[in-house]
Amino acid sequence: MTTTIATGHAGLAPAAEERLYAKVTWRLIPFLFICYVVAYLDRVNVGFAKLQMLNELQFSEAVYGLGAGIFFLGYFIFEVPSNLMLHRFGARRWIARIMFSWGIISGAMMFVQTPTVFYIMRFLLGVAEAGFFPGIILYLTYWYPSARRAKVTSLFMTGIPMAGVLGGPLSGWILATFDGAHGMAGWKWLFLIEALPSLLLGVMVLKYLDDGINKASWLNDDEKRLLQANIDADDAKVSEHSMLGGFRHPMVWVLSAAYFGFIMGLYGIGFWLPTLIKAFGVSSPETIGWLVAIPYAAATLAMIWTSTHSDRTGERRWHVALPALLGMVGLIASTLLPQTPLVAVATLTLATMGIITGLAQFWCLPPAFLRGAAAAAGIAVINSVGNLAGFVSPFIVGWIKDVTHSTNNGLYVISASLVVAAAIALSMAREKVNQPR
């Protein structure tokens, strides 16, 4: 059915505009969400594999922490080139390439036998996946003006907690059910089974995804013009569009530091949550899987509520900073309160809600400064530099745990990084990042 058009801002009546953006959202976000669930699950399922593979392969906690984190070195090196390739050649082909390659390498993790091979495979997985997340963030700027971006970004990024909600029980079940099947350990089956959806989705990307508004056959000409008019009006407010500007804009590097703090928290939780819960007296992989799902389910609800409130009010800075501080409180509480499974799940739920919610809101900040090729470069720089924390965080926690036999000091370091992220968000100019209402 053709959308009825009335004249007004960007030529679109409010009710018709809402219907049109709802149509776009239902077309794009559920599919991108599923892709991100699979991507994030393949990235962090090593946290569940750890429950078995460390004993079988005789890896230390430091070896695991280095291997978990070295993913992000490959990610860092290839992130910016990957995002620029997506901007040049289109999202459909490039995202499909990413999903094919990471699916193959993720499945090949089942052949790891030595620390060296573990490090190499994790590095290659980072190379393969580089560009997926910032590519999607960039892709959303092709469709949505900045005033609508908090909610859709959060809906997409609910893939992070939902990977925990779905992946926790699934990973625990695979470890328990398939361990020893056909002579293979459960952790090998885990890598193999959870790699298969990536390959299937890679095929679906080629069939389903469009490179932009003008390529969308499911939109009529009037709808395309009106969506593009909103994007063009939004672009006119942004100071930097060139690729070189995306590298040299000072806010890119300031935001990289804030994102580094959030990623310290994200992967401190993502790679160690199963281990932290196990340390509080839970031994069954299946039970650990279900308990891991609780923090991520709560984070999903927190993300959706916060993003809706942020778009409704137009306020951005506090919607980034307060969740970061909430994450800090949860992490510190997990080290200070009595060590029981109930307290562990409650405090780690608080931490997970804060970290992931703040992380999603963070991505409303860069497009306030960058568009076009500058956004492609700048978003990739922020994501790649920030994701170096994905190397630092698990390695620090693993090294400290080997030395002190406790994760507490590692969690204090992560908590401090979240405070820095909150401070940077609050230091930004209100009139630049907030949306007028």
Side-chain angles (χ1 to χ4, degrees):
M1 183 174 66
T2 302
T3 303
T4 302
I5 305 301
T7 58
H9 178 66
L12 194 62
E17 183 175 14
E18 292 302 318
R19 289 195 299 270
L20 179 54
Y21 277 106
K23 177 179 178 179
V24 173
T25 298
W26 276 109
R27 171 74 185 194
L28 298 181
I29 300 303
F31 181 72
L32 296 175
F33 163 82
I34 293 170
C35 291
Y36 196 37
V37 168
V38 172
Y40 193 77
L41 183 61
D42 282 349
R43 183 186 301 185
V44 302
N45 59 7
V46 69
F48 269 95
K50 172 183 183 287
L51 299 176
Q52 290 182 352
M53 71 185 295
L54 259 65
N55 286 335
E56 180 178 329
L57 302 180
Q58 297 298 300
F59 288 176
S60 69
E61 298 285 351
V63 166
Y64 165 74
L66 179 58
I70 208 169
F71 167 97
F72 294 97
L73 294 184
Y75 199 84
F76 170 77
I77 294 168
F78 288 91
E79 186 92 346
V80 173
S82 181
N83 227 35
L84 293 175
M85 295 288 278
L86 183 147
H87 183 66
R88 180 175 180 182
F89 295 113
R92 183 177 64 88
R93 285 179 293 175
W94 198 251
I95 291 173
R97 192 283 305 163
I98 290 172
M99 299 193 73
F100 278 127
S101 57
W102 99 50
I104 292 170
I105 295 171
S106 181
M109 285 287 296
M110 65 184 289
F111 299 112
V112 167
Q113 291 295 321
T114 67
T116 300
V117 174
F118 182 46
Y119 299 151
I120 291 172
M121 294 303 295
R122 288 290 298 177
F123 178 84
L124 292 176
L125 187 63
V127 171
E129 196 182 322
F132 176 78
F133 174 78
I136 298 300
I137 297 297
L138 175 66
Y139 184 64
L140 293 176
T141 70
Y142 298 165
W143 296 86
Y144 296 93
S146 56
R148 294 180 175 273
R149 214 169 286 141
K151 186 174 182 179
V152 295
T153 301
S154 286
L155 287 173
F156 163 64
M157 289 186 66
T158 53
I160 294 177
M162 285 306 296
V165 172
L166 302 174
L170 174 64
S171 297
W173 176 76
I174 291 172
L175 288 178
T177 303
F178 286 83
D179 191 29
H182 299 284
M184 286 204 317
W187 64 268
K188 295 185 177 184
W189 282 107
L190 176 68
F191 287 126
L192 177 61
I193 292 172
E194 292 186 353
L196 296 177
S198 300
L199 301 175
L200 176 61
L201 285 168
V203 175
M204 294 178 66
V205 165
L206 290 172
K207 300 288 186 181
Y208 187 83
L209 211 59
D210 300 293
D211 286 331
I213 293 170
N214 291 330
K215 297 290 183 67
S217 61
W218 45 276
L219 294 171
N220 64 42
D221 290 342
D222 284 342
E223 290 169 333
K224 291 178 183 179
R225 280 193 294 270
L226 291 165
L227 289 172
Q228 191 60 53
N230 279 343
I231 296 297
D232 293 342
D234 207 46
D235 286 354
K237 305 173 187 177
V238 177
S239 61
E240 190 59 71
H241 291 75
S242 72
M243 183 180 71
L244 182 59
F247 289 100
R248 69 187 179 192
H249 199 298
M251 287 309 303
V252 167
W253 301 100
V254 173
L255 290 172
S256 294
Y259 195 56
F260 189 96
F262 276 115
I263 296 297
M264 284 285 288
L266 179 65
Y267 290 111
I269 289 289
F271 286 128
W272 288 96
L273 188 55
T275 300
L276 292 170
I277 291 177
K278 184 179 180 180
F280 291 125
V282 181
S283 58
S284 165
E286 289 182 280
T287 303
I288 292 172
W290 285 107
L291 291 177
V292 163
I294 294 173
Y296 288 116
T300 302
L301 298 177
M303 286 175 70
I304 293 172
W305 182 88
T306 303
S307 63
T308 301
H309 189 267
S310 179
D311 274 350
R312 186 170 66 247
T313 63
E315 204 288 322
R316 300 303 193 204
R317 301 184 311 155
W318 283 102
H319 285 81
V320 176
L322 284 179
L325 297 175
L326 185 69
M328 176 271 293
V329 169
L331 288 178
I332 292 179
S334 73
T335 70
L336 299 179
L337 295 179
Q339 309 286 292
T340 68
L342 178 61
V343 171
V345 171
T347 55
L348 293 173
T349 294
L350 189 66
T352 305
M353 288 170 62
I355 292 166
I356 294 179
T357 299
L359 184 72
Q361 294 305 301
F362 169 87
W363 285 109
C364 293
L365 303 180
F369 303 91
L370 308 167
R371 293 291 290 178
I379 289 172
V381 168
I382 293 167
N383 196 59
S384 59
V385 172
N387 267 292
L388 286 177
F391 171 76
V392 174
S393 180
F395 178 69
I396 283 180
V397 176
W399 177 75
I400 290 176
K401 189 172 188 293
D402 270 348
V403 172
T404 66
H405 306 292
S406 171
T407 57
N408 287 358
N409 289 331
L411 296 181
Y412 295 147
V413 172
I414 292 171
S415 297
S417 72
L418 292 170
V419 174
V420 172
I424 291 174
L426 292 176
S427 72
M428 299 184 70
R430 182 188 296 107
E431 65 276 8
K432 187 67 176 178
V433 298
N434 288 353
Q435 296 299 313
R437 284 291 180 268

